[in-house]
Amino acid sequence: MKKLKETENIFVLGIFLGVCAAIAALVLAYFADLTREPIKKMKMQAVNNALKEVLPAFDNSPGNNTFKKDGVTFYGARKDGKLIAVAASGDTMKGYSGKIVAMAGLKLDGKIRTIALVDGKKLSAVLITEQKETPGLGTVVCERKRQKTIVSIFEEPGKDAALPAGNKILDQFADKSAGKTPWQVTKAGGKFDYMTGATISSKAVTGVVYKIARTFVVNRQEIIKELSKAKK
Amino acid sequence: MSLIKDFTRGIWKENPVLVMLLGMCPTLAVTTNAENGLSMGVATTFVLLGCNIVISLVRNIVPKKIRIPVYIVVIATFVTVVELLMSAYAPPAINKSLGIFIPLIVVNCIVLGRAEAFASKTGVFRSIMDALGMGLGFSLALAALGGTREFLATGSLFQIKIIIPWTVDFMLWTGAPGAFIILGCFLAGMNKLNMRKAVKSGKVYIPPQGLGCSHCRLCDIGVNEE
């Protein structure tokens, strides 16, 4: 053993390192195999949770009833066999730090769904499912985070927890349907508010929601037909 | 006795963040809130533990010439395992915010430092204690830093608002400048505490080499040690 420790024979060293790497590769292969299913499940669950928030009550599994068109994925929600609403997920690279993925719930006429009225304000069915924006600035545009306070954790926890939290930027899209002119923030001459300090994120979010809604409006017949098809 | 010593050393006397100043990249970047800091600490502890065990087991057969590459292979393997396990089982929110920092544990000097300075020279049990102590010290330091920054920025701790009327975030503390300022305050406080302890017991406090602040004349904390 002493010999191995002090050896300078380059072949012995090479073989030793090779053996180490081979063992490491085996261990990694084992763990990659072990976690493949749970990771898939986790991703599926994230999509399903988002779908549950943006869609009305459904009795099929929209995660399996999908249709892709122009880079936007559509999920069809059915009740008693009839298509009642569509969720759509699309992405943009125009965020402050790259990719932003949004999911929106759409009515069959192309309008963005309103989930509920909270204090007279509409809650829109728009969620940002993936983003890397600056914490505290860009994330404010993207997040629907229910604020927990020291008081609220002692109150009954179930209290209107079913609703997602409001978001000034995302809630603007409630009941809007995408026309020919792209949606813009007021700074770019449009009619949507933006968050000071996060103009680029606001623009990107407005853009991607428009893209989703517009893709649906343009291809409405085809998408509804595809999603109404009976699938196993 | 020495097992306990190996364990406690990492928590205070040789705290990896506050005394040895190792692993500054995750320390400064991740500690925007207490939860992130703590989870990063736990992930690093797991990697440290695995690496220390493996490396102290093979310490007598690894050729000296290639010990660093071998350590890196071991560390990288453990980090990838942690990454896989986290994306499979950790809550999505934590996984999201720590995602880009987990691969960086590979180059975290604490792990390599403990492998080279401790595990490669001592037996398995002492290495385990060392890893646990260092990991705990790292986690505590990160959680404290994260908690302080989170509280100063938003008035909340572990995402729970403590001061309810606090609605506008104070962004300085969650950004990079805040990280440096708070870390500096922590280091100064640590030195001050150690110094007071030494004075009380009648000894002269010698800061860890290169970490004394007597060369700086901005304040008089470091002056009386000369």
Side-chain angles (χ1 to χ4, degrees), chain A residues 143-170:
Chain A
E143 271 176 342
R144 286 185 180 279
K145 210 177 207 173
R146 185 165 291 281
Q147 182 79 55
K148 274 189 237 159
T149 67
I150 195 90
V151 177
S152 74
I153 54 169
F154 292 116
E155 284 171 359
E156 71 255 68
K159 204 175 154 193
D160 63 30
L163 291 175
N167 178 309
K168 239 171 67 188
I169 301 295
L170 298 180

Side-chain angles (χ1 to χ4, degrees), chain A residues 1-2 4-8 12-14 16-17 20-21 23-25 27-28 31-32 34-35 38-39 42 46 128-131 135-137 140 145 147-153, chain B residues 32-33 58-66 69-70 73-74 76-78 80-81 83-92 96 120 156 158-164 169 171 174:
Chain A
M1 283 303 158
K2 193 90 194 170
L4 189 56
K5 206 172 176 185
E6 301 296 337
T7 186
E8 294 199 5
V12 177
L13 294 180
F16 190 93
L17 202 51
C20 284
I23 295 172
V27 172
L28 285 183
F31 272 97
L34 190 78
T35 52
I39 289 176
M42 206 77 172
I128 304 296
T129 46
E130 210 182 307
Q131 49 90 8
L137 293 173
V140 177
K145 210 177 207 173
Q147 182 79 55
K148 274 189 237 159
T149 67
I150 195 90
V151 177
S152 74
I153 54 169
Chain B
T32 47
N33 64 45
V58 300
R59 70 182 190 280
N60 287 327
I61 53 166
V62 175
K64 261 199 180 125
K65 286 249 157 176
I66 53 163
V70 171
V73 169
V74 173
T77 310
F78 271 103
T80 316
V81 168
E83 200 186 355
L84 285 171
L85 289 178
M86 276 194 73
S87 50
Y89 301 111
K96 234 183 209 170
S120 66
S156 47
F158 287 96
Q159 317 272 12
I160 294 167
K161 203 137 228 161
I162 309 285
I163 302 174
I164 293 164
D169 294 359
M171 293 308 302
T174 44

Side-chain angles (χ1 to χ4, degrees), chain A residues 115-197:
Chain A
I115 300 176
L117 282 170
V118 178
D119 303 332
K121 280 179 201 150
K122 282 175 184 167
L123 251 174
S124 75
V126 179
L127 285 177
I128 304 296
T129 46
E130 210 182 307
Q131 49 90 8
K132 292 179 263 194
E133 301 305 285
T134 320
L137 293 173
T139 51
V140 177
V141 178
C142 302
E143 271 176 342
R144 286 185 180 279
K145 210 177 207 173
R146 185 165 291 281
Q147 182 79 55
K148 274 189 237 159
T149 67
I150 195 90
V151 177
S152 74
I153 54 169
F154 292 116
E155 284 171 359
E156 71 255 68
K159 204 175 154 193
D160 63 30
L163 291 175
N167 178 309
K168 239 171 67 188
I169 301 295
L170 298 180
D171 287 340
Q172 297 180 86
F173 307 121
D175 284 337
K176 296 272 188 325
S177 78
K180 265 193 189 135
T181 41
W183 294 345
Q184 292 281 8
V185 295
T186 42
K187 200 172 187 176
K191 55 186 161 74
F192 288 97
D193 282 342
Y194 61 98
M195 203 71 88
T196 311

Side-chain angles (χ1 to χ4, degrees), chain B residues 3-115:
Chain B
L3 276 180
I4 296 168
K5 224 177 187 176
D6 283 331
F7 179 68
T8 51
R9 193 180 40 206
I11 299 173
W12 183 266
K13 218 177 125 205
E14 283 183 26
N15 187 297
V17 175
L18 300 177
V19 178
M20 298 200 290
L21 291 188
L22 290 177
M24 283 299 108
C25 157
T27 304
L28 296 172
V30 177
T31 56
T32 47
N33 64 45
E35 202 178 351
N36 284 358
L38 197 61
S39 350
M40 185 69 184
V42 172
T44 310
T45 307
F46 181 78
V47 174
L48 249 173
L49 187 62
C51 294
N52 265 13
I53 292 173
V54 171
I55 286 165
S56 76
L57 280 175
V58 300
R59 70 182 190 280
N60 287 327
I61 53 166
V62 175
K64 261 199 180 125
K65 286 249 157 176
I66 53 163
R67 64 179 195 285
I68 301 288
V70 171
Y71 297 165
I72 293 285
V73 169
V74 173
I75 295 166
T77 310
F78 271 103
V79 169
T80 316
V81 168
V82 168
E83 200 186 355
L84 285 171
L85 289 178
M86 276 194 73
S87 50
Y89 301 111
I94 289 182
N95 196 20
K96 234 183 209 170
S97 58
L98 286 183
I100 48 169
F101 298 108
I102 296 290
L104 286 179
I105 302 178
V106 177
V107 286
N108 190 326
C109 334
I110 298 168
V111 185
L112 190 59
R114 290 332 282 174

Side-chain angles (χ1 to χ4, degrees), chain A residues 18-215:
Chain A
V19 170
C20 284
I23 295 172
L26 280 178
V27 172
L28 285 183
Y30 172 73
F31 272 97
D33 196 47
L34 190 78
T35 52
R36 186 171 303 132
E37 283 307 309
I39 289 176
K40 226 190 231 165
K41 224 188 249 169
M42 206 77 172
K43 277 190 183 152
M44 218 32 213
Q45 203 191 335
V47 172
N48 282 340
N49 284 347
L51 284 172
K52 245 178 233 159
E53 288 199 358
V54 298
L55 289 171
F58 50 81
D59 59 7
N60 67 333
S61 58
N64 296 326
N65 185 16
T66 62
F67 176 63
K68 265 201 175 120
K69 180 86 191 171
D70 297 341
V72 180
T73 312
F74 293 92
Y75 304 85
R78 289 187 239 177
K79 195 160 197 182
D80 304 324
K82 250 178 92 184
L83 193 68
I84 46 168
V86 170
S89 164
D91 59 15
T92 177
M93 296 305 286
K94 287 184 182 157
Y96 194 71
S97 340
K99 200 172 177 186
I100 294 181
V101 183
M103 182 177 275
L106 299 159
K107 289 185 211 159
L108 293 183
D109 62 0
K111 273 185 187 164
I112 289 184
R113 287 193 61 239
T114 302
I115 300 176
L117 282 170
V118 178
D119 303 332
K121 280 179 201 150
K122 282 175 184 167
L123 251 174
S124 75
V126 179
L127 285 177
I128 304 296
T129 46
E130 210 182 307
Q131 49 90 8
K132 292 179 263 194
E133 301 305 285
T134 320
L137 293 173
T139 51
V140 177
V141 178
C142 302
E143 271 176 342
R144 286 185 180 279
K145 210 177 207 173
R146 185 165 291 281
Q147 182 79 55
K148 274 189 237 159
T149 67
I150 195 90
V151 177
S152 74
I153 54 169
F154 292 116
E155 284 171 359
E156 71 255 68
K159 204 175 154 193
D160 63 30
L163 291 175
N167 178 309
K168 239 171 67 188
I169 301 295
L170 298 180
D171 287 340
Q172 297 180 86
F173 307 121
D175 284 337
K176 296 272 188 325
S177 78
K180 265 193 189 135
T181 41
W183 294 345
Q184 292 281 8
V185 295
T186 42
K187 200 172 187 176
K191 55 186 161 74
F192 288 97
D193 282 342
Y194 61 98
M195 203 71 88
T196 311
T199 319
I200 294 177
S201 307
S202 309
K203 274 184 186 166
V205 167
T206 312
V208 71
V209 175
Y210 174 77
K211 183 177 128 185
I212 292 171
R214 185 67 190 161
T215 311

